[in-house]
Each structure stands twice: as structure tokens, then as C-alpha cells.
Amino acid sequence: MPLHVPPAPAPALRSVLTALGSPTAVREAPTPALRAAQEPATPELPLPVHVLDRISADGMAATRLAGWRFLIRCGDHAVAAAETMLTPDGWAFSHFFEGPYVASTERALRQAETMGQPYQPRLLSMPSLYMLTLWLHGDIAGDGATGHPEPSDLLVPLAPAPPGIPAHVPHRVADLLPVLTHRAAPVRLLGSPA
């Protein structure tokens, strides 16, 4: 089934297109693959980036929209990504980057395309675990900027994933969040107050 990619805010896309058209922005980016690209670079697959700051003891998660990420394609594969952020003046380009999450995101999206159910792809970042997942949201009509992980949604950890969490293995939110709750819980040191 095809993925239902939510449309990015037009100012976010314009800011990325402007940055791609700026020789200075591309030349100064820490992205050798983007700087060396011989083919035109195009932003594709806008994904809203949600941040999960905390997971409650019962496994419920509250998220906030942190930005939109575009895969930057040159030829037949993504060579970098562009991140946008919301500022007081609206959506603005933040930075280009490359690395393992770019290829891992592309792989997870291809994997999700083969699933039997339609999903809306999003990214879910869990800073306390140094973890990024492809969040496959069941509400395909949602705007991408709102909502929270539903128990039946899928999370696909991207590589590199934390130890003990296999990358590219889809997990239902109801199954994975309780496991992550224990990992994200603060560790009590011996002799510290309860």
C-alpha cells in the first residue's frame, strides 16, 4: 500500500529550495555527498519530526512537533537531509546533514511501502534514548503536525538504534513504549534518596 505523505508547510519547502539554490549554504554544509553531487538535488518526502520528551508509567506518550525533514535526492537515492524549524516568523531552513539516519530513513520508507496497511509516515525522536524511529501513523488523513502515537501505530527504529533495540523491525506502539519506559526511567544510584 502506498504511504500517505502529509504535505509540508509551503514556507518550509520554500526555505529548503532557497537553501539548495544557495551555493554558500550547500558549500558550508557538513555534507560532502551533497557538495559533490553531480546531479540536481531535489527535496522529497517531507516528514514531520515529532519529539517524545517523556513516556508516562502507563506507556502513554505526548509528542510535540519540532520541524519538518526533507530527504535530498540526487539521482536514484538520498544523499542528505534538510531540516526546517518553526521560528517566530514562520518555517525556516535550519541545516543540511548526512549520515546513517538518511539511508536508514530511506530504507524504512521502502520497507513501509510493502506493508499491507496504509500509513502516514512521520519521524519520532526520543532524545533521552538517542533514538529516532519512523512512526507509521494509522490516521492517514491527519495533517502530520498534530496527534500522538496510537497503540496500533507502528514504530520502526532507525539505525543506529540503541543497544537491544533492533533497527528496521516494526513494533506496535503498545508493545514498544512500555519497554522504552523502563529504559528512559532515571537510574537511582546506591545511597541516593528514594
Side-chain angles (χ1 to χ4, degrees):
M1 293 247 159
L3 294 175
H4 296 267
V5 178
L13 176 58
R14 278 194 305 272
S15 73
V16 170
L17 289 169
T18 300
L20 280 172
S22 165
T24 303
V26 172
R27 185 175 53 249
E28 292 180 0
T31 53
L34 183 58
R35 289 193 308 265
Q38 299 297 314
E39 299 181 50
T42 57
E44 296 182 355
L45 295 167
L47 297 173
V49 180
H50 292 262
V51 175
L52 178 66
D53 290 317
R54 64 178 175 75
I55 306 169
S56 66
D58 60 358
M60 294 304 294
T63 64
R64 62 181 168 81
L65 180 67
W68 283 80
R69 181 173 296 172
F70 297 78
L71 293 180
I72 305 299
R73 183 169 302 283
C74 292
D76 62 347
H77 67 283
V79 296
E83 193 91 15
T84 63
M85 63 183 182
L86 189 58
T87 69
D89 295 325
W91 288 100
F93 171 76
S94 174
H95 62 280
F96 291 115
F97 67 94
E98 62 183 50
Y101 283 135
V102 174
S104 187
T105 300
E106 194 170 39
R107 176 180 168 187
L109 286 166
R110 280 193 311 268
Q111 179 183 357
E113 283 281 347
T114 66
M115 295 180 177
Q117 181 177 341
Y119 288 104
Q120 184 186 82
R122 303 169 174 204
L123 293 172
L124 183 62
S125 173
M126 299 171 209
S128 64
L129 297 171
Y130 301 100
M131 183 173 178
L132 183 65
T133 67
L134 178 64
W135 168 16
L136 299 172
H137 192 47
D139 179 9
I140 60 173
D143 68 2
T146 59
H148 59 277
E150 297 292 338
S152 60
D153 289 352
L154 296 178
L155 297 176
V156 181
L158 301 181
I165 306 281
H168 297 286
V169 175
H171 301 272
R172 285 183 50 243
V173 166
D175 299 332
L176 186 59
L177 282 188
V179 171
L180 298 179
T181 302
H182 298 293
R183 286 180 160 224
V187 177
R188 256 187 70 220
L189 301 175
L190 289 175
S192 64

